């Protein structure tokens, strides 16, 4: 059973377009993290959201944690080819001693 | 940010041999380290959780005798793939947990991964 449903799995867009990636769950998470991974490398942490309803911005990236802490979204404004990569959401639960539950991932390709 | 290293970055071995992968936290002590496996264009699959000085906790379906984990210190964990076969070929990634459970400050930092190819 996949506890974190991430969508879409593939996204191919033109430079300058906006996009949103979603992570949804029926479970409550104490925190949710977003990572970006490039081929042949490990995931790099982009942001951690902790509070229900929290919104964090990182340049052109906006992250939101749902009020009930069951879902999250990543919005990219004016995507650039350098944004290309695999985006992963991962949730932590209070009793999991740091273990993360990962979504399926979203492969984003931004064409120049 | 905190740095986690993995060695080797890539390894090619013959079927039947054993391969050891090291994971080190370079500038912090990791209370817990995790080992993941990743197939091309897919998400990370947790294999096991490793705590210093105790036995690793393996996820369902992961053979503990096949994937030996040793966590000798707060900065080093090793994964040994024993009697490797072609189906073990994959990208193996470790992460180290920095923090003691405080929400928002408990962060996992990932290593760069090890590409294992078994011929």
């Amino acid at each position: 059973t996949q506890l974190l449903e991430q969508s879409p799995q593939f996204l191919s867009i033109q430079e300058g377009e906006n996009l949103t990636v979603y992570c949804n769950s029926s479970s409550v998470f104490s925190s949710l993290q977003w990572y970006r991974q490039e081929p042949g490398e490990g995931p790099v942490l982009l942001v951690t959201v902790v509070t229900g309803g929290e919104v964090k911005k990182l340049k052109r990236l906006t992250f939101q944690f749902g009020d009930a802490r069951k879902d999250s979204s990543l919005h990219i404004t004016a995507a650039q080819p350098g944004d290309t990569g695999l985006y992963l959401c991962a949730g932590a639960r209070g009793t999991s001693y740091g273990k993360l539950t990962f979504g399926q991932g979203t492969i984003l390709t931004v064409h120049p | 940010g905190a740095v986690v290293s993995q060695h080797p970055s890539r390894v090619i071995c013959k079927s039947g041999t054993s391969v050891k992968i090291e994971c080190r936290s370079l500038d912090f002590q990791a209370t817990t380290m995790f080992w993941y496996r990743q197939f091309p264009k897919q998400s990370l699959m947790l294999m096991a959780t490793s705590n210093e000085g105790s036995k690793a906790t393996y996820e369902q379906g992961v053979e503990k005798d096949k994937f030996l984990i040793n966590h000798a210190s707060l900065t080093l964990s090793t994964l040994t793939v024993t009697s490797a076969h072609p189906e073990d070929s994959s990208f193996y990634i470790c992460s180290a947990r920095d923090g003691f459970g405080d929400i928002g400050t408990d962060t996992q930092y990932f290593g760069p991964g090890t590409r294992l190819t078994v011929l």
Side-chain angles (χ1 to χ4, degrees):
Chain A
T1 304
Q2 185 67 38
L3 295 180
L4 257 181
E5 295 290 336
Q6 187 172 344
S7 64
Q9 291 190 38
F10 300 94
L11 201 50
S12 180
I13 62 173
Q14 292 297 126
E15 182 176 4
E17 293 183 6
N18 302 330
L19 67 112
T20 303
V21 179
Y22 300 93
C23 267
N24 296 293
S25 175
S26 57
S27 302
V28 176
F29 291 98
S30 56
S31 67
L32 197 138
Q33 296 165 1
W34 286 90
Y35 294 87
R36 177 169 169 266
Q37 184 183 23
E38 297 198 35
E41 299 181 9
V44 175
L45 179 67
L46 296 174
V47 77
T48 299
V49 285
V50 175
T51 307
E54 182 176 6
V55 176
K56 282 191 173 179
K57 291 192 175 183
L58 184 65
K59 296 184 179 178
R60 294 176 292 102
L61 278 61
T62 302
F63 305 85
Q64 187 164 6
F65 202 12
D67 292 340
R69 292 184 290 138
K70 293 181 179 181
D71 55 88
S72 181
S73 64
L74 157 62
H75 182 80
I76 300 180
T77 303
Q80 299 176 359
D83 296 326
T84 294
L86 173 65
Y87 289 82
L88 297 160
C89 63
R93 302 169 81 176
T95 58
S96 65
Y97 300 99
K99 190 164 76 170
L100 295 176
T101 299
F102 277 86
Q104 298 98 322
T106 296
I107 297 176
L108 170 65
T109 304
V110 182
H111 301 279
Chain B
V3 178
V4 175
S5 70
Q6 267 183 255
H7 179 79
S9 57
R10 57 181 63 197
V11 56
I12 300 172
C13 69
K14 292 183 179 180
S15 185
T17 61
S18 295
V19 176
K20 180 185 284 188
I21 302 170
E22 290 187 350
C23 177
R24 294 181 184 272
S25 56
L26 298 184
D27 49 4
F28 67 100
Q29 291 184 327
T31 53
T32 306
M33 290 184 173
F34 302 88
W35 287 96
Y36 297 85
R37 185 172 180 177
Q38 186 178 35
F39 293 103
K41 298 188 178 181
Q42 292 189 22
S43 187
L44 277 66
M45 181 182 73
L46 180 65
M47 298 175 65
T49 302
S50 172
N51 291 292
E52 186 264 341
S54 62
K55 290 183 179 180
T57 302
Y58 291 82
E59 295 299 299
Q60 191 172 9
V62 178
E63 298 177 59
K64 61 180 181 180
D65 295 328
K66 173 76 170 176
F67 300 99
L68 299 178
I69 292 173
N70 182 273
H71 198 148
S73 73
L74 286 172
T75 59
L76 173 63
S77 177
T78 61
L79 167 67
T80 301
V81 183
T82 63
S83 187
H85 291 284
E87 58 266 29
D88 298 323
S89 298
S90 191
F91 194 52
Y92 292 87
I93 306 174
C94 72
S95 71
R97 180 182 173 209
D98 183 12
F100 293 88
D102 296 330
I103 293 174
T105 62
D106 189 353
T107 301
Q108 278 191 39
Y109 296 95
F110 286 82
T114 295
R115 172 74 59 194
L116 171 64
T117 303
V118 185
L119 303 176

